[in-house]
Amino acid sequence: MKFIKYSFLFFVFLFVVNKGFAQQKTDSIAYYVTKISQVNTSNDLEKAYQFFQNNKLNALKNKHKVQVVYNLFQLSKIDYKFGFYNTSEANAVEALSILDQIKKTTYNNTLRRSLYNHLGKVYKEKNMYTLAYDKYNQALALTTSALDSLIVYNNISNILKDKTDFVAAEQLLSNTLNMFNRVESPIEKARLLDNLGLVQLKLNKESAFNTLSQALALREASKSTLSLYPSYKSFSKYYLAHKDTAQAKVFALKAYNVANQVNSLSYKLDAIKLRLQLGDYELSNQYFKWNDSLELVKQHNQNKFALLKYNVGQSELKSQVEKTKKQQFQFIALLILVVAISLFFILQSKHKKEKLQEVYATETRISKKVHDEVANDVYQVMTKLQGQTIEKEVVLDDLEHIYIKTRDISRENSTIDVNQDFEDLLIDLLQSYKSESVNIITKDISKIDWKTVSEIKKTTIYRVLQELMTNMKKHSQASIVVLVFNKKNKKIEVNYKDNGVGSAEKKQNGLQNAENRIQSINGTITFDSDINQGFKAFFIV
């Protein structure tokens, strides 16, 4: 983010003043911040990720919230560079929530402004223009210099351009010209003028040529070869719009030469695409070849970075601070309390007389599950703790296993309201199992009029799908799950398929519960699974 590029030295200086940050070398922080802003290879970002991840853990350990915020911000920028926009958003939002808990200072406001501006970029990439616009305006309210304001205004104009609101974009950029005498950066001035020239071109204004010329002159004076590319591209568009194909090709070729000079594959592809639009098909084969190469590089880098994050996470897990026996017993007690509270609310929700039998069955099933899967495990951990020697990591693994079982019991038996917006409820359920490694695809779910479906059928459909998705998450190792919904007469049909490892056993774990639920309302369900052939289920209610 260019906004941060011009202010990171200020960040570094203020962090050095902080108590815990004095132990770190300022030049190391500046080095990795620069690597994020000016990426040469994916390895640069990976090393920066490890550096700021370690810094974040140290800051958490020392309870230095401002440092945690700063490192989350840098991690968010790295995720953005790799294209992991959801993770980038999550880190930025977490950083802002921590800032809300601490005292407002000049530096904290600077961090907040930078996070707002970064979130604006994230939401723009996600095509969430309203949110992007709001975040840019929140950043604008916190700017303290003309340069910072100019950068944010330019970002806002890009939102307006994407929404084809060229009149508003021109007005905004024209007003921003008034602060040029207070801005020293020729690159940022040129960027704004180039945007303004393109907007004026869209509005068929004669001033577009002079505006684009001013931008080009500033870039030529700055002697920055890379910055010349957008100006050459803009002039090619200008001449193409005025049907001067010859001049359009001249500037397209200049853009192509700059892309080759700076050796940027993405710029090369963009330049060739521009030449193809002008009828220069000589490089068409090269375009497809490079485009395939770029996609492969992007995918490789994303996979490599995802693996790095996983390894870092595993390393963090192994390096957890050892717990004392007293703390372990307290954690066990807390888990038991969570189970008790979950059971209490489940029992309280079953208050209608006509559902007394269902309550009894639920109590029996939960009690057995708590006894067989939780209480026995808790007792086993307590027995281990009474021994003379014990590996604490083993105990922590056992406690995590108990926690997961407790959470699953609570989730499986919590109350669901199926009377309103059942389609949204189903979609939320299915999407909760989606991740970077698992893609959930639904078909024709919107074609069913869920308001005409009875409450007991909707509850059964919800619970059965929950069982199927949980079974998939735990056992299948699937990367794709497809669910097709259909309604014939008054019957609802659901067809489930995944590409997981499958199993020779058709009814493992919660699948028997799913079958019991279907049969209780006179429905039918069939399972089809073989090893390495995926898993299929089809039910009618």
Side-chain angles (χ1 to χ4, degrees):
M1 178 169 30
K2 292 184 178 180
F3 185 87
I4 300 307
K5 178 181 176 182
Y6 293 104
S7 57
F8 78 87
L9 290 176
F10 174 66
F11 292 165
V12 172
F13 171 77
L14 288 175
F15 263 113
V16 170
V17 175
N18 275 327
K19 181 180 178 181
F21 212 74
Q23 299 175 359
Q24 298 186 6
K25 294 183 179 180
T26 304
D27 57 349
S28 296
I29 299 169
Y31 172 80
Y32 285 113
V33 170
T34 302
K35 286 296 182 184
I36 296 173
S37 300
Q38 302 173 2
V39 182
N40 291 322
T41 67
S42 63
N43 289 334
D44 291 340
L45 290 178
E46 291 168 10
K47 291 177 181 178
Y49 176 85
Q50 290 176 308
F51 177 81
F52 287 110
Q53 182 71 8
N54 289 334
N55 277 4
K56 186 192 80 170
L57 293 176
N58 289 331
L60 285 169
K61 181 179 178 180
N62 296 318
K63 299 181 179 180
H64 293 153
K65 291 186 176 181
V66 175
Q67 294 175 28
V68 174
V69 170
Y70 179 79
N71 288 290
L72 280 171
F73 175 46
Q74 299 302 331
L75 294 172
S76 179
K77 290 197 294 181
I78 295 171
D79 278 311
Y80 177 85
K81 293 282 186 179
F82 274 108
F84 293 121
Y85 301 125
N86 290 336
T87 309
S88 179
E89 176 190 1
N91 281 331
V93 170
E94 182 183 354
L96 285 171
S97 67
I98 296 173
L99 278 179
D100 290 337
Q101 304 169 17
I102 58 183
K103 183 180 178 181
K104 292 182 179 180
T105 64
T106 301
Y107 174 68
N108 291 349
N109 284 339
T110 300
L111 264 180
R112 183 181 293 276
R113 180 187 68 218
S114 302
L115 285 163
Y116 283 149
N117 193 62
H118 177 71
L119 276 173
K121 290 181 62 179
V122 171
Y123 290 135
K124 180 179 180 295
E125 291 296 329
K126 296 173 71 174
N127 296 324
M128 302 169 70
Y129 295 126
T130 301
L131 278 175
Y133 188 82
D134 289 343
K135 291 305 172 186
Y136 282 142
N137 277 288
Q138 286 179 289
L140 190 61
L142 295 173
T143 56
T144 56
S145 71
L147 174 61
D148 293 339
S149 298
L150 184 143
I151 292 171
V152 177
Y153 278 128
N154 220 347
N155 289 338
I156 294 174
S157 74
N158 288 330
I159 296 291
L160 296 172
K161 282 167 57 182
D162 287 350
K163 295 171 67 176
T164 67
D165 191 352
F166 300 117
V167 174
E170 184 197 25
Q171 183 177 358
L172 176 67
L173 293 170
S174 297
N175 292 337
T176 309
L177 295 177
N178 295 327
M179 61 177 66
F180 261 34
N181 60 340
R182 292 179 286 140
V183 176
E184 295 182 0
S185 170
I187 297 298
E188 287 304 321
K189 289 181 179 180
R191 193 163 73 95
L192 186 140
L193 286 168
D194 197 68
N195 278 344
L196 178 57
L198 290 175
V199 170
Q200 290 171 338
L201 179 62
K202 288 289 185 180
L203 295 173
N204 297 317
K205 292 196 172 183
E206 294 182 0
S207 54
F209 181 84
N210 288 334
T211 306
L212 292 174
S213 297
Q214 292 178 51
L216 177 58
L218 284 170
R219 283 166 169 159
E220 289 175 337
S222 70
K223 300 186 184 302
S224 170
T225 303
L226 183 61
S227 69
L228 291 173
Y229 181 85
S231 273
Y232 289 153
K233 180 180 177 181
S234 296
F235 264 109
S236 182
K237 289 182 177 180
Y238 174 86
Y239 284 114
L240 180 62
H242 287 79
K243 299 182 179 180
D244 188 344
T245 307
Q247 280 296 96
K249 286 183 177 180
V250 168
F251 279 96
L253 182 59
K254 286 184 177 182
Y256 178 76
N257 291 334
V258 169
N260 281 315
Q261 189 174 348
V262 299
N263 197 26
S264 168
L265 182 56
S266 59
Y267 270 19
K268 288 178 183 179
L269 282 169
D270 189 55
I272 293 177
K273 184 177 180 181
L274 184 62
R275 293 178 65 180
L276 290 175
Q277 291 173 350
L278 293 167
D280 187 354
Y281 301 113
E282 180 181 348
L283 299 174
S284 58
N285 291 333
Q286 190 68 53
Y287 174 81
F288 293 112
K289 178 181 177 182
W290 283 353
N291 187 59
D292 291 342
S293 297
L294 182 62
E295 290 302 318
L296 287 173
V297 169
K298 285 182 178 179
Q299 188 62 50
H300 172 75
N301 289 340
Q302 283 191 338
N303 292 340
K304 187 179 177 183
F305 182 60
L307 179 61
L308 169 68
K309 293 175 73 173
Y310 172 79
N311 290 335
V312 170
Q314 291 296 102
S315 177
E316 291 173 15
L317 184 62
K318 292 179 181 178
S319 64
Q320 290 287 336
V321 179
E322 293 185 351
K323 303 294 182 181
T324 63
K325 287 186 178 182
K326 180 179 179 181
Q327 290 172 323
Q328 292 167 349
F329 278 118
Q330 288 175 341
F331 187 60
I332 294 171
L334 178 61
L335 285 173
I336 295 174
L337 180 61
V338 170
V339 174
I341 293 174
S342 299
L343 290 174
F344 172 78
F345 281 107
I346 290 171
L347 295 176
Q348 287 295 311
S349 67
K350 310 294 184 179
H351 61 279
K352 293 183 179 180
K353 291 182 179 180
E354 63 270 20
K355 294 185 179 180
L356 285 177
Q357 187 60 38
E358 183 182 345
V359 172
Y360 174 75
T362 301
E363 288 177 347
T364 303
R365 181 167 57 85
I366 295 174
S367 177
K368 186 177 185 303
K369 201 165 189 177
V370 171
H371 178 270
D372 293 346
E373 298 186 19
V374 178
N376 288 342
D377 288 350
V378 170
Y379 182 80
Q380 184 179 3
V381 174
M382 293 173 65
T383 302
K384 287 183 180 180
L385 290 173
Q386 291 174 354
Q388 294 297 322
T389 60
I390 182 172
E391 294 184 8
K392 295 185 178 180
E393 288 187 0
V394 173
V395 176
L396 288 174
D397 289 340
D398 290 342
L399 293 177
E400 182 182 7
H401 183 64
I402 295 171
Y403 168 75
I404 292 172
K405 286 185 176 181
T406 305
R407 181 194 62 193
D408 289 344
I409 293 172
S410 176
R411 180 190 297 171
E412 290 170 5
N413 296 279
S414 60
T415 304
I416 51 174
D417 182 10
V418 298
N419 291 321
Q420 294 182 349
D421 300 322
F422 183 68
E423 179 183 337
D424 291 340
L425 187 67
L426 266 188
I427 291 174
D428 287 343
L429 169 68
L430 298 175
Q431 290 302 311
S432 69
Y433 290 88
K434 185 176 181 179
S435 67
E436 292 182 359
S437 60
V438 181
N439 190 20
I440 311 296
I441 301 172
T442 61
K443 182 180 179 182
D444 296 335
I445 190 171
S446 300
K447 292 184 178 180
I448 297 176
D449 185 3
W450 293 105
K451 293 180 181 179
T452 63
V453 181
S454 66
E455 179 178 345
I456 189 170
K457 281 190 177 182
K458 288 190 283 191
T459 301
T460 301
I461 291 170
Y462 184 94
R463 289 303 189 192
V464 169
L465 287 177
Q466 188 178 54
E467 296 280 8
L468 290 174
M469 297 304 290
T470 300
N471 182 74
M472 176 276 298
K473 198 74 172 180
K474 289 182 177 179
H475 306 293
S476 77
Q477 302 178 27
S479 61
I480 299 176
V481 177
V482 179
L483 293 114
V484 181
F485 294 81
N486 188 30
K487 186 174 183 181
K488 287 186 178 180
N489 299 324
K490 295 183 179 181
K491 298 287 187 178
I492 303 296
E493 298 178 352
V494 181
N495 196 346
Y496 170 98
K497 296 180 182 179
D498 69 41
N499 66 343
V501 296
S503 171
E505 182 182 359
K506 298 294 191 297
K507 298 178 185 176
Q508 54 181 276
N509 297 329
L511 298 184
Q512 185 63 54
N513 289 336
E515 186 174 57
N516 292 339
R517 290 181 185 276
I518 293 293
Q519 291 176 349
S520 69
I521 61 169
N522 299 319
T524 60
I525 185 168
T526 57
F527 303 101
D528 184 9
S529 178
D530 290 305
I531 296 176
N532 297 324
Q533 296 298 317
F535 181 82
K536 300 176 183 178
F538 179 77
F539 63 90
I540 303 174
V541 295

